[in-house]
Amino acid sequence: MEPIRKVSIIGTGSYVPEKVLTNKDLESIVDTTDEWIYSRTGMRERHIAAADQAASDLGAEAARKAIDDAGISAEDVDLIIVATLSPDMFFPSTACFVQEKIGAKNAFCYDLGAACSGFLYAMDTARAQIACGAVETVLVIGTEKMSTFIDWEDRSTCILFGDGAGAVVLQAGGEGRGVMQSVMGSDGSLAHLLSTPGGGSRNPISHEMIDQKQHFLKMEGRDVFKHAVKRMGDTVLQALEKNGISSDEVGCFIPHQANIRIIDAISKRLGVADRMYSNVEKYANTSSAALAIALDEAVKDGTISKGDLVVLTVFGGGFTWGANVLEWGK
Ligand code: COA
């Protein structure tokens, strides 16, 4: 199915905070080892935001770079969508805070919640808004300060996450096929396997809730792992089929950066190990920022160049998952 109007990514940017937390550093926080973390996840280090940096600060840094890269001004942006599960506050939206920081005064702004899948969902929402003619230029940001929402006494989760942000600018037009159709899916019956159960309207903030550490991320790692491998693999194949593209034509596959073993399992299944992109070693899992940071790095380090077909795929809490195909036109 052809989009009504073609949509292209015209700029990318990313930002990670200065502070690096290595696996060795984690050895003095919880009962773990560099060897265990690296062999089970492929992670060596992650970045941790400063106390005075919230998700919107990280997102604004990435957004400024994407806007510069696009060669536009912040005032040209019609819409800002921020994907995050670590917003500055429940409301107003983190997107409104980013708008104020970067001076995108002509944009309307909202956040989108799809956990680690949020950036791809937001990109597809932006694509649809542009394709139907509602807006011309959209800034999509994935930004996370995961370090505030994880339990630093739980070794099974705290080793896995990092902070960071990535952004893209999408606009009508451009060369090549641009951002094509996505395939996305969700399964709310599995929500309990990956969630932050406390602090919302189901289990509001109380001393008891905090004593029980319900305000921190909880995960059934093995179950999440199995579903992530299956869903991302299936959805990539569905997205390729939907867009009439064979996997041999794809120059670069960028999966959610949650665990190198998940990425390797998908590579093996699809037979695309030579074209699979990963930076999980440097940043760990930055949730909705992961795909955006990886896309920016793959473009900047020359892995992706003009005319390449790129497949993006994500998986996250909900469960949510999805894949998108695009032709790089810059
Ligand atoms: N250091 C040392 N040992 C650890 C540890 C750590 N940081 N974390 C867990 N362990 C222990 C466990 O307690 C368990 O011990 P036991 O066998 O005595 O009970 C043992 O290591 C094996 O745990 P297991 O959960 O089977 O490990 P695993 O090989 O499945 O790896 C994950 C655990 C979390 C790395 C893996 O399941 C994973 O990556 N899951 C998906 C995570 C993900 O993608 N989340 C986000 C999706 S958006």
Side-chain angles (χ1 to χ4, degrees):
M1 196 168 63
E2 285 298 313
I4 305 160
R5 292 205 298 175
K6 197 166 70 181
V7 180
S8 297
I9 295 176
I10 62 164
T12 64
S14 61
Y15 170 80
V16 289
E18 214 171 294
K19 184 180 169 190
V20 173
L21 186 72
T22 64
N23 292 350
K24 269 269 172 252
D25 297 330
L26 280 165
E27 289 180 0
S28 60
I29 299 174
V30 285
D31 180 14
T32 193
T33 60
D34 174 33
E35 197 279 328
W36 192 95
I37 299 171
Y38 186 66
S39 63
R40 296 296 222 287
T41 69
M43 297 165 187
R44 289 266 189 223
E45 56 191 38
R46 69 281 300 137
H47 291 245
I48 303 294
D52 63 356
Q53 283 181 308
S56 70
D57 299 301
L58 312 183
E61 296 282 353
R64 286 189 195 98
K65 292 184 191 176
I67 285 170
D68 276 354
D69 189 44
I72 61 165
S73 115
E75 294 181 9
D76 297 327
V77 176
D78 301 319
L79 164 62
I80 301 174
I81 311 176
V82 169
T84 185
L85 58 74
S86 49
D88 287 26
M89 23 184 112
F90 270 148
F91 78 91
S93 69
T94 300
C96 283
F97 290 120
V98 171
Q99 175 201 29
E100 200 275 324
K101 286 183 206 312
I102 65 172
K105 61 183 184 191
N106 298 315
F108 67 103
C109 310
Y110 59 87
D111 289 358
L112 186 150
C116 295
S117 303
F119 179 75
L120 190 140
Y121 277 43
M123 220 177 74
D124 192 67
T125 302
R127 179 198 61 74
Q129 292 257 33
I130 297 169
C132 75
V135 291
E136 294 297 316
T137 306
V138 185
L139 174 62
V140 175
I141 301 166
T143 182
E144 300 289 5
K145 188 177 181 183
M146 296 300 290
S147 56
T148 353
F149 292 92
I150 52 175
D151 178 357
W152 288 99
E153 291 179 351
D154 176 7
R155 67 177 182 172
S156 69
T157 53
C158 76
I159 57 143
L160 296 172
F161 295 95
D163 300 336
V168 295
V169 178
L170 292 101
Q171 201 169 60
E175 290 182 37
R177 282 167 282 184
V179 182
M180 292 177 242
Q181 301 283 320
S182 299
V183 173
M184 291 170 286
S186 306
D187 184 352
S189 73
L190 300 174
H192 57 284
L193 297 174
L194 178 56
S195 70
T196 301
S201 54
R202 172 68 55 204
N203 187 2
I205 296 166
S206 66
H207 287 294
E208 194 191 358
M209 183 280 283
I210 289 171
D211 288 345
Q212 292 169 351
K213 296 184 161 195
Q214 296 295 305
H215 56 305
F216 290 133
L217 181 147
K218 312 281 177 201
M219 179 173 66
E220 296 297 328
R222 273 183 233 184
D223 287 328
V224 173
F225 190 104
K226 279 185 272 179
H227 285 278
V229 170
K230 170 149 177 47
R231 291 301 189 181
M232 283 194 275
D234 287 352
T235 316
V236 164
L237 295 174
Q238 289 160 7
L240 287 170
E241 191 181 345
K242 187 171 182 180
N243 290 290
I245 288 164
S246 93
S247 74
D248 298 340
E249 297 173 71
V250 176
C252 182
F253 291 84
I254 306 184
H256 178 46
Q257 305 290 311
N259 185 323
I260 197 67
R261 287 160 52 219
I262 294 178
I263 295 173
D264 288 346
I266 301 168
S267 297
K268 201 168 155 198
R269 177 175 164 199
L270 302 179
V272 299
D274 54 327
R275 288 164 285 151
M276 193 59 97
Y277 195 83
S278 175
N279 60 15
V280 73
E281 185 169 343
K282 293 188 288 180
Y283 306 124
N285 181 351
T286 56
S287 185
S288 68
L291 200 63
I293 295 172
L295 176 62
D296 180 49
E297 288 202 344
V299 170
K300 304 278 160 67
D301 72 16
T303 303
I304 296 173
S305 46
K306 191 169 176 176
D308 283 349
L309 290 174
V310 180
V311 172
L312 309 173
T313 184
V314 283
F315 182 85
F319 287 154
T320 52
W321 59 88
N324 174 267
V325 185
L326 58 94
E327 181 177 334
W328 198 250
K330 273 189 82 171

